Amino acid sequence: MLHQQLSSLLAQTDIALTELQQQQLVQYVELLDKWNKAYNLTSVRNPSEMVVKHIMDSLMVAPHLSGKQYIDVGTGPGLPGIVLAIALPDTHFVLLDSLGKRVRFLMQVKHALGLDNVTPVQSRVEDYLPSVKLDGVLSRAFASLQDMVQWCEHLIDNSGRFIALKGQLPEQELDSLPTGVHFEQKISLEVPELDAERHLIILSKD
C-alpha cells in the first residue's frame, strides 16, 4: 500500500529511485510509525501522510545538493537527512540532534536499512565540531534563518552553504540576515499532493 503510494508520487516528479531505495523509504516510514507510539518522534500519526509530508517533502531537496558531505542539524527522527541519505547513497550525512531518544531511533534506522552514509550524533549544535569539511548545513523546521546562521556558522567555511527547508517564503527573516552572510538563492519546491508552500533557502558566507 505505502509502496504503491510512493511510486505514484515519485511518478509526478523528476526523481528516479531504484526498487531498493523505494523499499528503504517504506521501511523507514514503518519504523517511524512503530517507534512514534513510544517516542513521540513526529506529530504526523498516519503512515500514508508521512509519505507525503515527510518523505516526499524531504526528497524534493535531493536534486539541489551537489556536495558530498552534509550535516542535518536538529534532524529529529531523520528529516530530511535519512531520506536524502537513501536518495543520495554517495553523499554522507551527519544527523545531529540533542535528544537521546531520537538518536537511538536513528541508530536503529541506520542498522535496519544498512545505511553506511549516515552518522547519528547526539550533541547541541553549538558544541559539535565536524571531523571533515562540510559542503552544507541542512535544516528543516529547525529555527529562524538568523538562529541557524548563528548556531551553525562554525560548521562551514566560505565554500559551504546554509540550506534551509521552509514553508512560506520567510521575507522578514531574509530582510534581517546577520552581517557576513548573504542570500544566494530561493527555490520553490513542488511536493506532490502537499497542499502547502515549500521553499528551499540557500545562504552563503561573504
Side-chain angles (χ1 to χ4, degrees):
M1 184 77 180
L2 292 175
H3 205 298
Q4 282 178 325
Q5 181 192 8
L6 180 61
S7 293
S8 86
L9 289 167
L10 283 170
Q12 299 172 53
T13 74
D14 295 331
I15 297 171
L17 297 181
T18 65
E19 187 64 29
L20 173 63
Q21 287 170 311
Q22 292 184 50
Q23 284 171 0
Q24 287 175 314
L25 288 169
V26 168
Q27 199 178 346
Y28 171 56
V29 171
E30 289 168 349
L31 285 167
L32 190 51
D33 180 46
K34 179 181 165 187
W35 282 60
N36 203 31
K37 293 172 176 67
Y39 275 34
N40 202 23
L41 298 165
T42 168
S43 59
V44 180
R45 300 289 173 193
N46 182 320
S48 179
E49 269 186 71
M50 289 178 188
V51 173
V52 175
K53 292 182 176 175
H54 289 334
I55 304 301
M56 294 307 299
D57 189 50
S58 298
L59 268 181
M60 300 315 292
V61 178
H64 306 289
L65 300 185
S66 54
K68 292 296 178 194
Q69 297 282 348
Y70 289 92
I71 183 167
D72 177 12
V73 294
T75 186
L79 298 163
I82 288 284
V83 177
L84 293 172
I86 291 169
L88 303 168
D90 296 329
T91 303
H92 187 268
F93 295 86
V94 173
L95 308 177
L96 194 77
D97 204 276
S98 59
L99 269 188
K101 66 177 183 179
R102 292 180 187 149
V103 175
R104 283 194 292 279
F105 170 69
L106 295 171
M107 293 299 287
Q108 177 65 28
V109 171
K110 175 185 166 89
H111 174 71
L113 273 53
L115 297 177
D116 297 330
N117 60 330
V118 299
T119 304
V121 175
Q122 183 181 351
S123 172
R124 286 162 51 90
V125 64
E126 306 94 300
D127 301 332
Y128 180 72
L129 292 173
S131 57
V132 296
K133 182 177 152 66
L134 295 171
D135 296 299
V137 176
L138 294 163
S139 86
R140 177 182 185 264
F142 169 61
S144 69
L145 295 175
Q146 287 81 349
D147 286 345
M148 181 188 180
V149 168
Q150 186 183 342
W151 295 337
C152 303
E153 63 181 344
H154 67 288
L155 298 174
I156 54 170
D157 62 17
N158 287 12
S159 64
R161 298 287 179 268
F162 299 101
I163 303 165
L165 186 53
K166 294 279 190 177
Q168 290 182 318
L169 193 65
E171 302 275 10
Q172 213 172 345
E173 292 178 28
L174 288 169
D175 288 343
S176 50
L177 286 174
T179 53
V181 170
H182 71 268
F183 167 63
E184 202 166 280
Q185 195 182 6
K186 71 168 169 43
I187 301 165
S188 294
L189 301 176
E190 294 293 331
V191 183
E193 293 182 27
L194 183 68
D195 187 21
E197 278 187 62
R198 302 302 279 152
H199 289 91
L200 203 59
I201 306 296
I202 302 176
L203 311 173
S204 58
K205 291 184 176 182
D206 291 338

